[in-house]
Amino acid sequence: MSTVRKYQCMCGAFEAQVTGEPVLACWCHCETCRRQTGAAMQLGVFQNFEVLKGDDQLIKYASTSGSVFRNSCKNCGSFCYKVLPDGAKVAPLGALEPVIKPTCHIFVKDKGSQDVMFPELPQHDAFP
């Protein structure tokens, strides 16, 4: 049976769940993630993603390329999920229980010089 992991934003206006293991669990160093958090972000790409409540409480931002959409709670500002060009959903790994550990780094060409965590993990300049 697949593991179901629920998560919510800080104020509880948004809630979602993912089922099963991520297609990709990574540390993302892209410019967008670094601007959002001030550091690399732990992300998981999931095939089975469902918004349970609060999709109408989100502010949706398009990336500069217009191909990736970031969704944040308009009440508390929490990052809730991204939608990739192929429609895949990306959830913040740090909000999920049980914990899923990242297995690689992506967009390392954009990596900040201060970011030296987990150098033993495979590193990619884009999505593997």
PDB file of all heavy atoms in Angstrom, residues 79-116:
ATOM      1  N   PHE A  79       5.006  28.671   0.537  1.00  0.00           N
ATOM      2  CA  PHE A  79       5.095  27.997  -0.758  1.00  0.00           C
ATOM      3  C   PHE A  79       4.279  26.717  -0.649  1.00  0.00           C
ATOM      4  O   PHE A  79       4.484  25.922   0.271  1.00  0.00           O
ATOM      5  CB  PHE A  79       6.558  27.680  -1.102  1.00  0.00           C
ATOM      6  CG  PHE A  79       6.704  26.667  -2.199  1.00  0.00           C
ATOM      7  CD1 PHE A  79       6.279  26.964  -3.489  1.00  0.00           C
ATOM      8  CD2 PHE A  79       7.235  25.426  -1.943  1.00  0.00           C
ATOM      9  CE1 PHE A  79       6.393  26.031  -4.505  1.00  0.00           C
ATOM     10  CE2 PHE A  79       7.360  24.482  -2.950  1.00  0.00           C
ATOM     11  CZ  PHE A  79       6.943  24.781  -4.234  1.00  0.00           C
ATOM     12  N   CYS A  80       3.349  26.499  -1.575  1.00  0.00           N
ATOM     13  CA  CYS A  80       2.467  25.328  -1.500  1.00  0.00           C
ATOM     14  C   CYS A  80       2.803  24.261  -2.535  1.00  0.00           C
ATOM     15  O   CYS A  80       2.860  23.091  -2.207  1.00  0.00           O
ATOM     16  CB  CYS A  80       1.012  25.762  -1.633  1.00  0.00           C
ATOM     17  SG  CYS A  80       0.489  26.817  -0.263  1.00  0.00           S
ATOM     18  N   TYR A  81       2.988  24.637  -3.794  1.00  0.00           N
ATOM     19  CA  TYR A  81       3.427  23.690  -4.816  1.00  0.00           C
ATOM     20  C   TYR A  81       3.754  24.417  -6.105  1.00  0.00           C
ATOM     21  O   TYR A  81       3.402  25.575  -6.294  1.00  0.00           O
ATOM     22  CB  TYR A  81       2.413  22.583  -5.065  1.00  0.00           C
ATOM     23  CG  TYR A  81       1.104  23.002  -5.726  1.00  0.00           C
ATOM     24  CD1 TYR A  81       0.919  22.846  -7.093  1.00  0.00           C
ATOM     25  CD2 TYR A  81       0.048  23.516  -4.989  1.00  0.00           C
ATOM     26  CE1 TYR A  81      -0.278  23.201  -7.703  1.00  0.00           C
ATOM     27  CE2 TYR A  81      -1.148  23.866  -5.581  1.00  0.00           C
ATOM     28  CZ  TYR A  81      -1.301  23.714  -6.947  1.00  0.00           C
ATOM     29  OH  TYR A  81      -2.491  24.069  -7.536  1.00  0.00           O
ATOM     30  N   LYS A  82       4.468  23.722  -6.990  1.00  0.00           N
ATOM     31  CA  LYS A  82       4.768  24.214  -8.328  1.00  0.00           C
ATOM     32  C   LYS A  82       4.136  23.269  -9.334  1.00  0.00           C
ATOM     33  O   LYS A  82       3.909  22.087  -9.042  1.00  0.00           O
ATOM     34  CB  LYS A  82       6.284  24.234  -8.596  1.00  0.00           C
ATOM     35  CG  LYS A  82       7.031  25.294  -7.859  1.00  0.00           C
ATOM     36  CD  LYS A  82       8.491  25.289  -8.266  1.00  0.00           C
ATOM     37  CE  LYS A  82       9.246  26.332  -7.469  1.00  0.00           C
ATOM     38  NZ  LYS A  82      10.638  26.420  -7.864  1.00  0.00           N
ATOM     39  N   VAL A  83       3.897  23.785 -10.527  1.00  0.00           N
ATOM     40  CA  VAL A  83       3.437  22.967 -11.644  1.00  0.00           C
ATOM     41  C   VAL A  83       4.488  23.105 -12.744  1.00  0.00           C
ATOM     42  O   VAL A  83       4.801  24.210 -13.188  1.00  0.00           O
ATOM     43  CB  VAL A  83       2.057  23.427 -12.165  1.00  0.00           C
ATOM     44  CG1 VAL A  83       1.605  22.525 -13.310  1.00  0.00           C
ATOM     45  CG2 VAL A  83       1.030  23.422 -11.038  1.00  0.00           C
ATOM     46  N   LEU A  84       5.051  21.961 -13.176  1.00  0.00           N
ATOM     47  CA  LEU A  84       6.077  21.949 -14.209  1.00  0.00           C
ATOM     48  C   LEU A  84       5.440  21.982 -15.599  1.00  0.00           C
ATOM     49  O   LEU A  84       4.229  21.749 -15.738  1.00  0.00           O
ATOM     50  CB  LEU A  84       6.942  20.699 -14.055  1.00  0.00           C
ATOM     51  CG  LEU A  84       7.677  20.562 -12.715  1.00  0.00           C
ATOM     52  CD1 LEU A  84       8.479  19.276 -12.671  1.00  0.00           C
ATOM     53  CD2 LEU A  84       8.572  21.764 -12.464  1.00  0.00           C
ATOM     54  N   PRO A  85       6.233  22.240 -16.642  1.00  0.00           N
ATOM     55  CA  PRO A  85       5.677  22.324 -17.997  1.00  0.00           C
ATOM     56  C   PRO A  85       4.891  21.084 -18.435  1.00  0.00           C
ATOM     57  O   PRO A  85       3.918  21.206 -19.178  1.00  0.00           O
ATOM     58  CB  PRO A  85       6.917  22.518 -18.877  1.00  0.00           C
ATOM     59  CG  PRO A  85       7.901  23.189 -17.984  1.00  0.00           C
ATOM     60  CD  PRO A  85       7.650  22.598 -16.623  1.00  0.00           C
ATOM     61  N   ASP A  86       5.282  19.905 -17.944  1.00  0.00           N
ATOM     62  CA  ASP A  86       4.561  18.684 -18.315  1.00  0.00           C
ATOM     63  C   ASP A  86       3.344  18.422 -17.438  1.00  0.00           C
ATOM     64  O   ASP A  86       2.678  17.392 -17.572  1.00  0.00           O
ATOM     65  CB  ASP A  86       5.492  17.476 -18.294  1.00  0.00           C
ATOM     66  CG  ASP A  86       6.021  17.144 -16.905  1.00  0.00           C
ATOM     67  OD1 ASP A  86       5.674  17.855 -15.925  1.00  0.00           O
ATOM     68  OD2 ASP A  86       6.789  16.172 -16.780  1.00  0.00           O
ATOM     69  N   GLY A  87       3.046  19.347 -16.506  1.00  0.00           N
ATOM     70  CA  GLY A  87       1.892  19.206 -15.625  1.00  0.00           C
ATOM     71  C   GLY A  87       2.198  18.525 -14.301  1.00  0.00           C
ATOM     72  O   GLY A  87       1.338  18.467 -13.425  1.00  0.00           O
ATOM     73  N   ALA A  88       3.412  18.012 -14.144  1.00  0.00           N
ATOM     74  CA  ALA A  88       3.788  17.354 -12.886  1.00  0.00           C
ATOM     75  C   ALA A  88       3.758  18.375 -11.749  1.00  0.00           C
ATOM     76  O   ALA A  88       4.057  19.554 -11.945  1.00  0.00           O
ATOM     77  CB  ALA A  88       5.170  16.731 -12.996  1.00  0.00           C
ATOM     78  N   LYS A  89       3.413  17.910 -10.568  1.00  0.00           N
ATOM     79  CA  LYS A  89       3.320  18.770  -9.391  1.00  0.00           C
ATOM     80  C   LYS A  89       4.548  18.572  -8.516  1.00  0.00           C
ATOM     81  O   LYS A  89       5.034  17.452  -8.335  1.00  0.00           O
ATOM     82  CB  LYS A  89       2.071  18.451  -8.578  1.00  0.00           C
ATOM     83  CG  LYS A  89       0.768  18.522  -9.353  1.00  0.00           C
ATOM     84  CD  LYS A  89       0.405  19.926  -9.731  1.00  0.00           C
ATOM     85  CE  LYS A  89      -0.984  20.098 -10.287  1.00  0.00           C
ATOM     86  NZ  LYS A  89      -1.404  19.250 -11.355  1.00  0.00           N
ATOM     87  N   VAL A  90       5.011  19.661  -7.941  1.00  0.00           N
ATOM     88  CA  VAL A  90       6.204  19.668  -7.099  1.00  0.00           C
ATOM     89  C   VAL A  90       5.812  20.141  -5.716  1.00  0.00           C
ATOM     90  O   VAL A  90       5.271  21.232  -5.549  1.00  0.00           O
ATOM     91  CB  VAL A  90       7.277  20.601  -7.695  1.00  0.00           C
ATOM     92  CG1 VAL A  90       8.512  20.629  -6.812  1.00  0.00           C
ATOM     93  CG2 VAL A  90       7.638  20.175  -9.105  1.00  0.00           C
ATOM     94  N   ALA A  91       6.077  19.317  -4.709  1.00  0.00           N
ATOM     95  CA  ALA A  91       5.726  19.631  -3.320  1.00  0.00           C
ATOM     96  C   ALA A  91       6.989  19.899  -2.503  1.00  0.00           C
ATOM     97  O   ALA A  91       8.056  19.357  -2.796  1.00  0.00           O
ATOM     98  CB  ALA A  91       4.955  18.467  -2.703  1.00  0.00           C
ATOM     99  N   PRO A  92       6.866  20.724  -1.460  1.00  0.00           N
ATOM    100  CA  PRO A  92       8.012  20.980  -0.580  1.00  0.00           C
ATOM    101  C   PRO A  92       8.262  19.778   0.340  1.00  0.00           C
ATOM    102  O   PRO A  92       7.432  19.449   1.181  1.00  0.00           O
ATOM    103  CB  PRO A  92       7.572  22.207   0.216  1.00  0.00           C
ATOM    104  CG  PRO A  92       6.075  22.157   0.219  1.00  0.00           C
ATOM    105  CD  PRO A  92       5.675  21.494  -1.065  1.00  0.00           C
ATOM    106  N   LEU A  93       9.402  19.117   0.171  1.00  0.00           N
ATOM    107  CA  LEU A  93       9.698  17.913   0.958  1.00  0.00           C
ATOM    108  C   LEU A  93       9.732  18.189   2.450  1.00  0.00           C
ATOM    109  O   LEU A  93       9.354  17.336   3.250  1.00  0.00           O
ATOM    110  CB  LEU A  93      11.027  17.297   0.533  1.00  0.00           C
ATOM    111  CG  LEU A  93      11.072  16.646  -0.842  1.00  0.00           C
ATOM    112  CD1 LEU A  93      12.447  16.038  -1.080  1.00  0.00           C
ATOM    113  CD2 LEU A  93       9.995  15.593  -0.998  1.00  0.00           C
ATOM    114  N   GLY A  94      10.173  19.364   2.841  1.00  0.00           N
ATOM    115  CA  GLY A  94      10.290  19.683   4.259  1.00  0.00           C
ATOM    116  C   GLY A  94       8.967  19.723   4.994  1.00  0.00           C
ATOM    117  O   GLY A  94       8.933  19.678   6.221  1.00  0.00           O
ATOM    118  N   ALA A  95       7.860  19.792   4.262  1.00  0.00           N
ATOM    119  CA  ALA A  95       6.531  19.840   4.885  1.00  0.00           C
ATOM    120  C   ALA A  95       5.899  18.457   5.027  1.00  0.00           C
ATOM    121  O   ALA A  95       4.848  18.322   5.641  1.00  0.00           O
ATOM    122  CB  ALA A  95       5.606  20.734   4.061  1.00  0.00           C
ATOM    123  N   LEU A  96       6.528  17.433   4.462  1.00  0.00           N
ATOM    124  CA  LEU A  96       5.926  16.098   4.433  1.00  0.00           C
ATOM    125  C   LEU A  96       6.412  15.214   5.566  1.00  0.00           C
ATOM    126  O   LEU A  96       7.573  15.259   5.952  1.00  0.00           O
ATOM    127  CB  LEU A  96       6.244  15.408   3.105  1.00  0.00           C
ATOM    128  CG  LEU A  96       5.825  16.132   1.835  1.00  0.00           C
ATOM    129  CD1 LEU A  96       6.295  15.361   0.618  1.00  0.00           C
ATOM    130  CD2 LEU A  96       4.323  16.342   1.799  1.00  0.00           C
ATOM    131  N   GLU A  97       5.506  14.403   6.086  1.00  0.00           N
ATOM    132  CA  GLU A  97       5.833  13.361   7.066  1.00  0.00           C
ATOM    133  C   GLU A  97       5.184  12.071   6.603  1.00  0.00           C
ATOM    134  O   GLU A  97       4.037  12.095   6.175  1.00  0.00           O
ATOM    135  CB  GLU A  97       5.293  13.728   8.457  1.00  0.00           C
ATOM    136  CG  GLU A  97       5.979  14.892   9.128  1.00  0.00           C
ATOM    137  CD  GLU A  97       7.397  14.591   9.558  1.00  0.00           C
ATOM    138  OE1 GLU A  97       7.748  13.407   9.733  1.00  0.00           O
ATOM    139  OE2 GLU A  97       8.168  15.535   9.713  1.00  0.00           O
ATOM    140  N   PRO A  98       5.832  10.928   6.652  1.00  0.00           N
ATOM    141  CA  PRO A  98       7.226  10.746   7.048  1.00  0.00           C
ATOM    142  C   PRO A  98       8.185  11.407   6.054  1.00  0.00           C
ATOM    143  O   PRO A  98       7.858  11.632   4.904  1.00  0.00           O
ATOM    144  CB  PRO A  98       7.405   9.231   7.090  1.00  0.00           C
ATOM    145  CG  PRO A  98       6.281   8.651   6.314  1.00  0.00           C
ATOM    146  CD  PRO A  98       5.183   9.653   6.296  1.00  0.00           C
ATOM    147  N   VAL A  99       9.363  11.687   6.552  1.00  0.00           N
ATOM    148  CA  VAL A  99      10.396  12.420   5.828  1.00  0.00           C
ATOM    149  C   VAL A  99      10.828  11.676   4.565  1.00  0.00           C
ATOM    150  O   VAL A  99      10.940  10.451   4.560  1.00  0.00           O
ATOM    151  CB  VAL A  99      11.614  12.637   6.748  1.00  0.00           C
ATOM    152  CG1 VAL A  99      12.796  13.195   6.000  1.00  0.00           C
ATOM    153  CG2 VAL A  99      11.230  13.532   7.910  1.00  0.00           C
ATOM    154  N   ILE A 100      11.051  12.451   3.521  1.00  0.00           N
ATOM    155  CA  ILE A 100      11.653  11.942   2.290  1.00  0.00           C
ATOM    156  C   ILE A 100      12.959  12.710   2.115  1.00  0.00           C
ATOM    157  O   ILE A 100      12.965  13.947   2.078  1.00  0.00           O
ATOM    158  CB  ILE A 100      10.751  12.189   1.067  1.00  0.00           C
ATOM    159  CG1 ILE A 100       9.431  11.430   1.211  1.00  0.00           C
ATOM    160  CG2 ILE A 100      11.469  11.779  -0.219  1.00  0.00           C
ATOM    161  CD1 ILE A 100       8.410  11.764   0.146  1.00  0.00           C
ATOM    162  N   LYS A 101      14.060  12.002   2.019  1.00  0.00           N
ATOM    163  CA  LYS A 101      15.357  12.656   1.877  1.00  0.00           C
ATOM    164  C   LYS A 101      15.682  12.873   0.401  1.00  0.00           C
ATOM    165  O   LYS A 101      15.487  11.980  -0.416  1.00  0.00           O
ATOM    166  CB  LYS A 101      16.453  11.809   2.516  1.00  0.00           C
ATOM    167  CG  LYS A 101      16.327  11.709   4.018  1.00  0.00           C
ATOM    168  CD  LYS A 101      17.456  10.898   4.612  1.00  0.00           C
ATOM    169  CE  LYS A 101      17.304  10.807   6.123  1.00  0.00           C
ATOM    170  NZ  LYS A 101      18.364   9.997   6.716  1.00  0.00           N
ATOM    171  N   PRO A 102      16.192  14.054   0.056  1.00  0.00           N
ATOM    172  CA  PRO A 102      16.621  14.290  -1.318  1.00  0.00           C
ATOM    173  C   PRO A 102      17.737  13.323  -1.712  1.00  0.00           C
ATOM    174  O   PRO A 102      18.562  12.936  -0.880  1.00  0.00           O
ATOM    175  CB  PRO A 102      17.138  15.726  -1.296  1.00  0.00           C
ATOM    176  CG  PRO A 102      16.452  16.357  -0.132  1.00  0.00           C
ATOM    177  CD  PRO A 102      16.319  15.254   0.882  1.00  0.00           C
ATOM    178  N   THR A 103      17.748  12.941  -2.995  1.00  0.00           N
ATOM    179  CA  THR A 103      18.738  11.989  -3.494  1.00  0.00           C
ATOM    180  C   THR A 103      19.721  12.612  -4.470  1.00  0.00           C
ATOM    181  O   THR A 103      20.630  11.943  -4.941  1.00  0.00           O
ATOM    182  CB  THR A 103      18.041  10.799  -4.172  1.00  0.00           C
ATOM    183  OG1 THR A 103      17.233  11.298  -5.249  1.00  0.00           O
ATOM    184  CG2 THR A 103      17.170  10.026  -3.184  1.00  0.00           C
ATOM    185  N   CYS A 104      19.511  13.900  -4.815  1.00  0.00           N
ATOM    186  CA  CYS A 104      20.425  14.564  -5.749  1.00  0.00           C
ATOM    187  C   CYS A 104      20.255  16.080  -5.653  1.00  0.00           C
ATOM    188  O   CYS A 104      19.363  16.567  -4.958  1.00  0.00           O
ATOM    189  CB  CYS A 104      20.178  14.097  -7.186  1.00  0.00           C
ATOM    190  SG  CYS A 104      18.591  14.612  -7.878  1.00  0.00           S
ATOM    191  N   HIS A 105      21.117  16.784  -6.354  1.00  0.00           N
ATOM    192  CA  HIS A 105      21.045  18.238  -6.501  1.00  0.00           C
ATOM    193  C   HIS A 105      20.701  18.530  -7.964  1.00  0.00           C
ATOM    194  O   HIS A 105      21.224  17.865  -8.869  1.00  0.00           O
ATOM    195  CB  HIS A 105      22.398  18.896  -6.211  1.00  0.00           C
ATOM    196  CG  HIS A 105      22.867  18.752  -4.808  1.00  0.00           C
ATOM    197  ND1 HIS A 105      22.571  19.660  -3.829  1.00  0.00           N
ATOM    198  CD2 HIS A 105      23.641  17.801  -4.214  1.00  0.00           C
ATOM    199  CE1 HIS A 105      23.138  19.294  -2.692  1.00  0.00           C
ATOM    200  NE2 HIS A 105      23.790  18.169  -2.898  1.00  0.00           N
ATOM    201  N   ILE A 106      19.829  19.533  -8.205  1.00  0.00           N
ATOM    202  CA  ILE A 106      19.552  19.950  -9.576  1.00  0.00           C
ATOM    203  C   ILE A 106      19.822  21.449  -9.729  1.00  0.00           C
ATOM    204  O   ILE A 106      19.830  22.185  -8.752  1.00  0.00           O
ATOM    205  CB  ILE A 106      18.120  19.600 -10.020  1.00  0.00           C
ATOM    206  CG1 ILE A 106      17.067  20.279  -9.143  1.00  0.00           C
ATOM    207  CG2 ILE A 106      17.924  18.087 -10.036  1.00  0.00           C
ATOM    208  CD1 ILE A 106      15.638  20.111  -9.642  1.00  0.00           C
ATOM    209  N   PHE A 107      20.064  21.848 -10.968  1.00  0.00           N
ATOM    210  CA  PHE A 107      20.394  23.231 -11.311  1.00  0.00           C
ATOM    211  C   PHE A 107      21.608  23.736 -10.537  1.00  0.00           C
ATOM    212  O   PHE A 107      21.649  24.876 -10.079  1.00  0.00           O
ATOM    213  CB  PHE A 107      19.181  24.153 -11.133  1.00  0.00           C
ATOM    214  CG  PHE A 107      18.060  23.791 -12.078  1.00  0.00           C
ATOM    215  CD1 PHE A 107      16.972  23.070 -11.625  1.00  0.00           C
ATOM    216  CD2 PHE A 107      18.145  24.134 -13.420  1.00  0.00           C
ATOM    217  CE1 PHE A 107      15.952  22.707 -12.504  1.00  0.00           C
ATOM    218  CE2 PHE A 107      17.136  23.771 -14.301  1.00  0.00           C
ATOM    219  CZ  PHE A 107      16.032  23.061 -13.855  1.00  0.00           C
ATOM    220  N   VAL A 108      22.622  22.871 -10.428  1.00  0.00           N
ATOM    221  CA  VAL A 108      23.826  23.253  -9.676  1.00  0.00           C
ATOM    222  C   VAL A 108      24.605  24.375 -10.359  1.00  0.00           C
ATOM    223  O   VAL A 108      25.390  25.056  -9.708  1.00  0.00           O
ATOM    224  CB  VAL A 108      24.748  22.047  -9.385  1.00  0.00           C
ATOM    225  CG1 VAL A 108      24.074  21.070  -8.448  1.00  0.00           C
ATOM    226  CG2 VAL A 108      25.184  21.359 -10.650  1.00  0.00           C
ATOM    227  N   LYS A 109      24.368  24.602 -11.638  1.00  0.00           N
ATOM    228  CA  LYS A 109      25.030  25.720 -12.318  1.00  0.00           C
ATOM    229  C   LYS A 109      24.591  27.058 -11.725  1.00  0.00           C
ATOM    230  O   LYS A 109      25.305  28.049 -11.832  1.00  0.00           O
ATOM    231  CB  LYS A 109      24.778  25.672 -13.822  1.00  0.00           C
ATOM    232  CG  LYS A 109      23.342  25.829 -14.230  1.00  0.00           C
ATOM    233  CD  LYS A 109      23.196  25.673 -15.730  1.00  0.00           C
ATOM    234  CE  LYS A 109      21.820  25.738 -16.280  1.00  0.00           C
ATOM    235  NZ  LYS A 109      20.696  25.995 -15.494  1.00  0.00           N
ATOM    236  N   ASP A 110      23.426  27.077 -11.061  1.00  0.00           N
ATOM    237  CA  ASP A 110      22.911  28.284 -10.417  1.00  0.00           C
ATOM    238  C   ASP A 110      23.224  28.327  -8.910  1.00  0.00           C
ATOM    239  O   ASP A 110      22.812  29.255  -8.222  1.00  0.00           O
ATOM    240  CB  ASP A 110      21.386  28.378 -10.580  1.00  0.00           C
ATOM    241  CG  ASP A 110      20.965  28.517 -12.023  1.00  0.00           C
ATOM    242  OD1 ASP A 110      21.774  29.004 -12.840  1.00  0.00           O
ATOM    243  OD2 ASP A 110      19.830  28.135 -12.337  1.00  0.00           O
ATOM    244  N   LYS A 111      23.917  27.331  -8.436  1.00  0.00           N
ATOM    245  CA  LYS A 111      24.178  27.168  -7.010  1.00  0.00           C
ATOM    246  C   LYS A 111      24.959  28.341  -6.431  1.00  0.00           C
ATOM    247  O   LYS A 111      25.916  28.815  -7.043  1.00  0.00           O
ATOM    248  CB  LYS A 111      24.982  25.874  -6.832  1.00  0.00           C
ATOM    249  CG  LYS A 111      25.122  25.354  -5.451  1.00  0.00           C
ATOM    250  CD  LYS A 111      25.842  24.002  -5.542  1.00  0.00           C
ATOM    251  CE  LYS A 111      25.946  23.350  -4.208  1.00  0.00           C
ATOM    252  NZ  LYS A 111      26.609  22.048  -4.307  1.00  0.00           N
ATOM    253  N   GLY A 112      24.545  28.809  -5.274  1.00  0.00           N
ATOM    254  CA  GLY A 112      25.276  29.859  -4.579  1.00  0.00           C
ATOM    255  C   GLY A 112      26.567  29.310  -3.986  1.00  0.00           C
ATOM    256  O   GLY A 112      26.637  28.136  -3.607  1.00  0.00           O
ATOM    257  N   SER A 113      27.591  30.140  -3.880  1.00  0.00           N
ATOM    258  CA  SER A 113      28.888  29.677  -3.374  1.00  0.00           C
ATOM    259  C   SER A 113      28.816  29.254  -1.908  1.00  0.00           C
ATOM    260  O   SER A 113      29.643  28.473  -1.440  1.00  0.00           O
ATOM    261  CB  SER A 113      29.948  30.767  -3.551  1.00  0.00           C
ATOM    262  OG  SER A 113      29.566  31.925  -2.839  1.00  0.00           O
ATOM    263  N   GLN A 114      27.824  29.751  -1.169  1.00  0.00           N
ATOM    264  CA  GLN A 114      27.664  29.392   0.237  1.00  0.00           C
ATOM    265  C   GLN A 114      27.031  28.007   0.407  1.00  0.00           C
ATOM    266  O   GLN A 114      27.034  27.454   1.497  1.00  0.00           O
ATOM    267  CB  GLN A 114      26.804  30.436   0.966  1.00  0.00           C
ATOM    268  CG  GLN A 114      25.302  30.301   0.786  1.00  0.00           C
ATOM    269  CD  GLN A 114      24.754  30.676  -0.600  1.00  0.00           C
ATOM    270  OE1 GLN A 114      25.483  31.131  -1.459  1.00  0.00           O
ATOM    271  NE2 GLN A 114      23.483  30.466  -0.807  1.00  0.00           N
ATOM    272  N   ASP A 115      26.496  27.455  -0.659  1.00  0.00           N
ATOM    273  CA  ASP A 115      25.722  26.216  -0.583  1.00  0.00           C
ATOM    274  C   ASP A 115      26.626  25.008  -0.788  1.00  0.00           C
ATOM    275  O   ASP A 115      26.957  24.661  -1.922  1.00  0.00           O
ATOM    276  CB  ASP A 115      24.613  26.247  -1.626  1.00  0.00           C
ATOM    277  CG  ASP A 115      23.505  25.276  -1.319  1.00  0.00           C
ATOM    278  OD1 ASP A 115      23.704  24.398  -0.464  1.00  0.00           O
ATOM    279  OD2 ASP A 115      22.449  25.390  -1.936  1.00  0.00           O
ATOM    280  N   VAL A 116      27.042  24.380   0.306  1.00  0.00           N
ATOM    281  CA  VAL A 116      27.986  23.269   0.226  1.00  0.00           C
ATOM    282  C   VAL A 116      27.447  22.002   0.906  1.00  0.00           C
ATOM    283  O   VAL A 116      28.200  21.077   1.180  1.00  0.00           O
ATOM    284  CB  VAL A 116      29.355  23.657   0.857  1.00  0.00           C
ATOM    285  CG1 VAL A 116      30.020  24.753   0.045  1.00  0.00           C
ATOM    286  CG2 VAL A 116      29.182  24.089   2.300  1.00  0.00           C
TER     287      VAL A 116
END
